[in-house]
Amino acid sequence: MKIGFIGLGNMGAPMAKNLVAAGHDVIGFDVAGVTVDGVEPAGRAVDAVKSAEAVVTMLPNGAILRSVYEEIVPAAVEGAVLIDCSTVDVESARAAHKLAADTKKLSVDAPVSGGIGGAAAGTLTFMAGGQDDAFLMAKPLFDVMGQKTVHCGKAGAGQAAKICNNMILGISMIGVCESFALADKLELDRQKLFDVVSTSSGSCWSVNTYCPAPGVGPASPADNDYKPGFAAELMLKDLLLSQQAAENVDAATPMGALASALYQAFVDGGGRGKDFSAMLPHLMNAGHKQ
Ligand code: NAD
């Protein structure tokens, strides 16, 4: 397939590389002038899309996605599929779908989970939203870049699934960190707490797979001085997107709101650049009234 790829950052570059390795003909563009081995560089975004059968975007936020789509959608080939893998607000995702539909292009919102490691290994999970014909055209590319894809529903459903999942993750990670911080003060051994919780009703991904306590459970960023992993500011981004969505549809998400406020305070107070599980040392330094 001839593929245009826009946004060759931490995630986009390895994803584009995997498409090249699978034999696709990839032409890429990034405002920062990034180049990727095997990806033909384009001088402008429109040059990357004008003869592409599929266009993948992997951009920082909804405002940038909208401005890039305004530029590239008119230049894309009729019948091409536009696949946005960025994490953005549901409204921007729907606006991007509308721009594509207005000019007879197929579109899918397909945010990912799995991080930089998953992007490099081709083991991402894609959460897709859009019509069946668009999804079916994009599916072979998801199969190259990832190991699991769920077609979640119509336009915007992929973004909705992503922020709902990450709202659970943010809340559960704080809960796990609170329990380990409390256990310390109760003089309960961290390993013993892990042994109990990981096989009890408190078990969850945040403790079983990604334990925030160094030296406890499987290897995680906590064992590597809390180097990300999944950076605290990216968790904050997704939590804030969940709150924006909740406000738009008048949904009650009180724990999501609290998790957003706690990650905001953590990021502002020096957590930027640390893994989101470093909420544990952050809470250990705070008292009951935090
Ligand atoms: P990044 O900042 O490393 O990459 C974004 C790239 O987009 C940059 O190289 C930037 O120069 C480029 N860009 C910005 N504006 C542009 C424009 N107008 N035209 C062309 N290129 C432009 O970010 P990332 O970590 O690769 O994340 C990309 C997206 O994936 C984000 O939406 C993020 O939330 C999501 N995501 C990231 C991770 C992760 O672990 N990094 C995990 C899941 C999802």
Side-chain angles (χ1 to χ4, degrees):
M1 231 183 194
K2 201 153 189 218
I3 302 168
F5 205 115
I6 298 174
L8 299 166
N10 289 324
M11 296 291 289
M15 290 164 73
K17 242 187 210 168
N18 284 333
L19 291 172
V20 171
H24 294 293
D25 189 0
V26 183
I27 170 161
F29 173 76
D30 189 295
V31 272
V34 185
T35 54
V36 176
D37 272 356
V39 175
E40 185 189 333
R44 298 173 307 161
V46 287
D47 297 330
V49 309
K50 61 188 179 202
S51 57
E53 297 151 79
V55 176
V56 183
T57 42
M58 193 50 165
L59 297 163
N61 60 48
I64 293 176
L65 171 69
R66 286 183 195 225
S67 80
V68 167
Y69 260 48
E70 267 158 28
E71 195 186 337
I72 63 168
V73 171
V77 182
E78 211 170 285
V81 63
L82 303 168
I83 306 165
D84 178 47
C85 298
S86 330
T87 303
V88 302
D89 56 289
V90 176
E91 291 206 338
S92 292
R94 290 188 177 144
H97 276 279
K98 185 168 180 325
L99 274 173
D102 287 348
T103 54
K104 298 196 169 47
K105 280 125 207 175
L106 301 171
S107 58
V108 189
D109 56 292
V112 302
S113 103
I116 300 165
T123 56
L124 293 169
T125 294
F126 287 87
M127 299 153 242
Q131 292 185 340
D132 288 347
D133 49 353
F135 175 75
L136 289 175
M137 202 166 154
K139 177 76 169 47
L141 303 187
F142 297 147
D143 292 343
V144 169
M145 298 183 285
Q147 66 183 6
K148 180 165 168 99
T149 302
V150 180
H151 188 188
C152 299
K154 59 186 188 188
Q159 297 295 347
K162 167 88 186 173
I163 57 174
C164 288
N165 178 72
N166 280 18
M167 188 173 75
I168 295 174
L169 177 60
I171 293 169
S172 71
M173 179 55 81
I174 293 170
V176 169
C177 291
E178 284 184 2
S179 289
F180 275 93
L182 175 61
D184 282 353
K185 294 202 174 175
L186 296 175
E187 296 174 20
L188 169 63
D189 183 73
R190 288 177 165 191
Q191 182 63 49
K192 301 292 179 201
L193 178 64
F194 177 86
D195 292 345
V196 170
V197 173
S198 63
T199 52
S200 298
S201 47
S203 70
C204 60
W205 187 88
S206 294
V207 71
N208 290 39
T209 308
Y210 207 91
C211 185
V216 179
S220 72
D223 302 308
N224 190 25
D225 205 20
Y226 295 102
K227 290 197 180 73
F230 185 43
E233 62 271 25
L234 289 177
M235 171 48 81
L236 175 61
K237 172 190 171 180
D238 293 356
L239 283 167
L240 293 175
L241 288 175
S242 77
Q243 294 313 289
Q244 186 183 339
E247 190 179 340
N248 287 343
V249 296
D250 195 25
T253 56
M255 295 296 288
L258 203 46
S260 303
L262 285 165
Y263 270 104
Q264 184 76 64
F266 174 45
V267 167
D268 293 346
R272 186 176 295 277
K274 294 205 173 111
D275 189 73
F276 82 116
S277 60
M279 181 59 82
L280 173 56
H282 175 70
L283 290 175
M284 281 161 55
N285 294 330
H288 178 57
K289 289 262 157 66
Q290 130 83 28

